[in-house]
Amino acid sequence: MANTACFIIVSRNDIPIYEAEVGSAPKKEEAAHQHQFILHAALDIVQDLAWTTSAMFLKAVDRFNDLVVSVYVTAGHSRLMLLHDSRNEDGIKSFFQEVHELYVKILLNPLYLPGSRITSSHFDTKVRALARKYL
Amino acid sequence: MSLPSENKMDPVNSFLGRLLLEELTPVVMVLSTPLAEDACQKNGLNFVEMLLPFSLFNKIDVPVRTASDQPYRLQMFKLRLVYASDICQQNYEVDVVTNSTLALALVADTLTSDIQAAEEHLKKVVCDTSENTLPDLLSDPPQLETILNKSVSHLCPSWIQTFNKELIRTLSFSEHETFDHPVACLLVVSSKDEQPVNRFVDLFNTDRLPALLNDGAMDPKILKHYLLLHDNQDGTPENSVAYFHSHQKTSASLSHEIARFLDVDDLNGIRDFMLDLASNHIIPHMEQKIRILNQQVSATRKGFRNQIKNLWWRKGKEEMPEAPNGPTYTFSSTESQIRVLGDYAFMLRDYELALSNFRLLSTDYKLDKAWKHYAGVQKMGSSGQRNATRCGLWWAEMLKARGQYKEAASVYFRISNEVPSLHAAVMLEQASYGYLLSSPPLLRKYGFHLILAGNCYYISEQRQHAIRAYRNTLCVYKGNAWTYITNHVHFNIGRWYAFLGMFDVAIKHMLEVLACSHQSLATQTIFLNDFFRVVQSMGKIFEVYKLQLPVINMASLKVFYEDTRTYASSADGAPSDDNANANALVKKVKEAIKLDLEFKNPLQISISVSGVSLICELSADSGATNFDNSVSETALHEDAEFRKPPSCRDPSDDSSLMLSKFDFVLKGGETKKIQLKVTPRVEGILKIVGVSWTLSDSVVGYRYFEFDTKKNKKGRKGARHSLQRNLNFIVIKGLPKLEGCIHHLPKKTFTGDLRLLMLELRNQSEYSVKSMKMKISHARFLIPGSSADLNLDFPRCLEKRISSASNDVPGNIMEKSRSLLFSFPNDASIQGGTTFMWPLWFHAGLRGSISFYVSVYYEMENSSDMTYRTLRMHYNLEVLPSLDVSFLITPCPSRLQEFLVHMDIMNRTSSETFCLNQLSCVDDRWEISTLPAYVPICPTQTLSAGQALSCFFKLKDCRRTNKERNLSVQGSDVPLGPQGSNKVLIDISRSPLVDFHFHERYHQGKMVQGSPSIVDFILISSILGGSNGFLAFLFSSITSKSPIWWLMDGPRMINHDFATSFCEVSVCVTIRNCSETSASIRLATFDILPAADQISDVFQPSDPSGNQGGWHDASLVDEIKVISDVQASHPRKPSSESISPYVWCGASSTQLKLEPACTAEVPLRICVFTPGTCDLSNYELHWKLQPSEEGLGDDVKRWSSADGLPFGASAASVFQPEDSFGPHERFTPNLEEYVCPILSNDNLASTAFDLKLGNYI
């Protein structure tokens, strides 16, 4: 499992709808906004890159020092972004795919308003379990 | 690869071009004597500074011919004048770098004091500008559009370019590039110096020369130019000139003398001198050198042969360990010569030549190709960080010049990783501009790098710059949901502003982070503490519009006010939403308007909120007529006023308003609903505009209630609209107001609970009120008593007194309660300041949650604008189930006019035990009694939780025949308590019970009083060990709806010796007319049932197979189901037996007429031939009710008929007593045995009679 990993789902309106620190490193106060900064800045890169390929998994699109941003863009242009320091690309890809599946299930919930924050605790548990499994 | 000369941009306009012109120009080393410097100091300048303005030639227009034969003209030219000592200083540092070139590990901590000096210089550049930016920081942060529209030059502040230049300058004079190597040397001696010529020689003493010249990196044989400085004040120039000329022949080159005390002539002289120096000496010198070097280089390197040779040679060289000390390349080495050649050519704008030389050189130096255009000979990595920085800067500039801003930004970012924080900050800021300028603009990257830059600025204690950087990101992060980012930015800006002492701006930013519910507890604490510290250091109460803490739920806004409607408690009523008349929003002076608002603390730490109060405006005058106008006018002004803090509003009339203030503490995550009050004291128009509060005694937050005016115009009936109206009130003169409550009203009670309550009305004004009326929503639960009830001792007052005369119940009570509007006695008026009590009877008639309303109407004694008001009270009540009681009434099979009452009681409570006290029958025509041989039902006479009980009573219809019955109720009662107990019975004919009974019936829709078939029971019970209250249950039960009752009676058992003769039995049918009209009745007996249609069209035999006389199954299937069950249980002979065991004798048909409530007996006889049980059911009773007004109607359909019901007589040795239902049978499980038909069909009635005949032996 990666030391640092910050997973975030950004809606098509560039609003984070799900955030989770899934790294094994102890959580630092400073990290939260730093991770947001890096991921937010990486959106600029994703914005360009997303239209150059038909693949959903964009691999590592941006980096900041030793932290790498991997992105997975869904068909609805929601972006699953992972900030990590590990190099396990296959694991990340699997992680993204399975989270995407979970995300689609969330979308199927008639009570979920697309673009709103995901508050399902079940989703959270599952994502963290996937993070432990793949990252 | 693009050539530099291909860059078509005007060199003067682009930064890069200017940088090239200004930085890559020949250096002239200046050596001067102290006296010469003194002479210059008279002008406040040193020598270099004096010449500086004239070292730039915009139009020098000098022909140049370098390696190629074709001359060209040089237009713009610049000389850099540098003191030799400066070169030394810079060089010292570079030497260190050089010496450790191979170590590659030079880091910032090896920087010498010289570098620190350089750092100081850079810092000064930054600091100077930061002071300039201070006024900017006070203005609003820039908007995104303005940033995007800004041109490149505006975006990148000029000081950054200065910084870049300075940074590059600190890195100059390195050994491996010759741009900064002095081309010429200017030796300056003052005319006051002794022996000027000797001084010249001394000046160019190798000891004082820069290390570059001494250690061999540079050719020490450079062009020397001697200058004699003469000050006109010290003597005539002629002397000096003469003196100087005398020594001229010793000079190696031409010398000039200029003497002046800076006037126009002097300036011209300097300019001429510089021009001469440049065009006549330096440029030709460089031309010459280029030509010489070019020849050398061509000889050694150019050509195919040389290249091959060189390749072999290079290979060998690379394997050689490089010398640890001293430069690798001295001035005499080929590489160095090429380099010098290239640089010189470059400086003279012969780019072709320069490029070709750089290309040649680059293969030698093995450099990154991308770097080669300008800084191509830098050795990235091998010459230390600072050179890398410098090189990076060049590279970035180059990328920018070509429009590749994004790449330039990433170069800047890379530089920033390597350099101290201040440099890094500047680099990062430039990187951010790079992202901004790239197309499309990468705004988020821009923001991020600005934040990074701001951080670095902050680390290097450049707070102004830090703030500036952060502020510029605001437009990027504005209104985005990345909460951690926005919090970080706002909080840091706020903090840094606070450092600078600009507390108001600091607070403005800190306010943004207050509602940070997503942050951790520690962060929240930091945010709040810092905020309060800043606020405190500001030293005054700060007023904040829309303070985010606590969060106010505007949707929870609820207004309570009273006009003609007043309310007893705050929970009553809602903000007025009806009332088409807007002017009705009238308020009385001295009466409070209440307003509910919810406050929520989003944080995990508790906050204290104090002084919560409304912001109101009370404009005196402007009567009700222009009320509407004022509303629309104020709506226009509202926008402007909304930004004004409450203190700016005129605090003029503190006396006219009384505002309630609330203090409370909100724990983490807590929500509290606060009721705010405003009480106007003078007449006028009161406007509630907002709410203000104080957070932790330091910050005043205020918020105005906002109305969407656009929506108002669209949908006039919108909720907002009414709210806006509801916040404007007309305040009129004081009026009396009643306050009221109901005492002793329980919140929870059991079904049937009967209580005496007290209504208390207080008049707190000085005026009196009159003509009070009251209306109660649920008359079934609450009825007003009479003044006589005021001092009653409940429940004793209800007990039956011996002398109780039913006459003391006023007959008009019924009428009163029927109208459901209760008028208090006419003389009842409440004087000012007094209290009025009135009794109310309460009876919980129905289980469930009941909410009932009581309105009291009253009129003013001194009628003014408002003649009446109403007081509204609202109570919620939960009625729990207590006893479930059901009655079943069956006609007594053996008696006319008598019924058996079966009462089932079930205790539905979980813990209470009930005592049964009394069962009463309303309406005096019924007489209820216990059955004979009555044994107490259970010894204790209590019913514990969950227990069920069945009781049986006898009900007798003792209706009097006379019709003038008294309407008042005089029922009969059965005490249920233990026998012998002296419990006094409750008088059910007294006021509350009668009234409740009436409402109960009213509610059940059985208004027909005295209907013969309905019996109403009242069961009185009490809770064991409970208070002295009791429960009363009111029930109605239907006895029978048949108008004609009949009963066949006769001997039940006869012993007869059939051997002698057949048996003759007399039976008798008693017929009673229970209806209100007379009836004609016909009784027919027959041995074989006649066809149905012969008698009546109505009568349809349900079971044709049963239409036989004798022992047949008299089917009543269509009449009631219960009967068939009974029949099924009867042992019967099969109906196939054809011979009837008996025959009717005597009159086969009897007709008679019965007056209402009359009884007639019809004797009948049968002859029985065999022993057994006879079913005497083959008779028919037909009746016809005569409409009272029509007399004997001939409507055939009014004829009703009924089959005779099974009347069996069994042959048994023991004759059963007539009343066969002894108490011992009460608990027979099969209750249906006793159930006599309760007919659903109005026309059919039934009785049963079985005759049993036994063979007499």
Side-chain angles (χ1 to χ4, degrees), chain B residues 105-159:
Chain B
L106 185 73
V107 279
D109 55 10
T110 63
L111 293 177
T112 60
S113 59
D114 295 319
I115 292 183
Q116 279 163 14
E119 292 289 326
E120 287 301 322
H121 179 65
L122 286 174
K123 200 166 166 181
K124 190 168 161 292
V125 171
V126 177
C127 285
D128 287 348
T129 55
S130 75
E131 269 144 39
N132 296 336
T133 58
L134 200 61
D136 279 350
L137 295 184
L138 287 167
S139 61
D140 283 335
Q143 297 301 306
L144 186 61
E145 294 76 28
T146 55
I147 287 189
L148 284 176
N149 292 334
K150 268 185 183 172
S151 65
V152 181
S153 54
H154 277 107
L155 256 183
C156 209
S158 57
W159 68 268

Side-chain angles (χ1 to χ4, degrees), chain A residues 8 10 14-16 19 27 29-30 32-45 47-48 62-65 79 81 117, chain B residues 406 413 417 435 440-448 451-452 470 476-477 480-486 488-489 492 519-520 522-523:
Chain A
I8 197 164
V10 183
D14 295 345
I15 295 168
E19 288 164 84
K27 207 179 163 189
E29 277 300 312
E30 277 294 294
H33 71 253
Q34 195 200 359
H35 291 171
Q36 274 208 349
F37 270 123
I38 298 169
L39 290 166
H40 184 252
L43 282 179
D44 268 336
I45 311 291
Q47 172 184 304
D48 292 344
D62 200 8
R63 61 173 60 240
F64 179 77
N65 296 341
R79 280 141 295 178
M81 305 179 82
R117 193 161 264 275
Chain B
K406 204 160 108 184
F413 181 69
N417 282 337
Y435 284 118
L442 301 174
L443 284 177
R444 288 171 276 229
K445 286 268 179 196
Y446 163 70
F448 182 39
I451 291 292
L452 291 173
Y470 267 59
V476 179
Y477 295 124
N480 89 5
W482 298 67
T483 44
Y484 287 99
I485 291 180
T486 42
H488 173 85
V489 174
N492 279 321
Q519 297 278 13
S520 68
T523 319

Side-chain angles (χ1 to χ4, degrees), chain B residues 818-840:
Chain B
R818 201 193 305 267
S819 70
L820 298 177
L821 176 65
F822 174 74
S823 299
F824 288 95
N826 283 335
D827 56 343
S829 69
I830 310 178
Q831 299 300 318
T834 56
T835 307
F836 178 78
M837 306 287 274
W838 195 258
L840 291 175

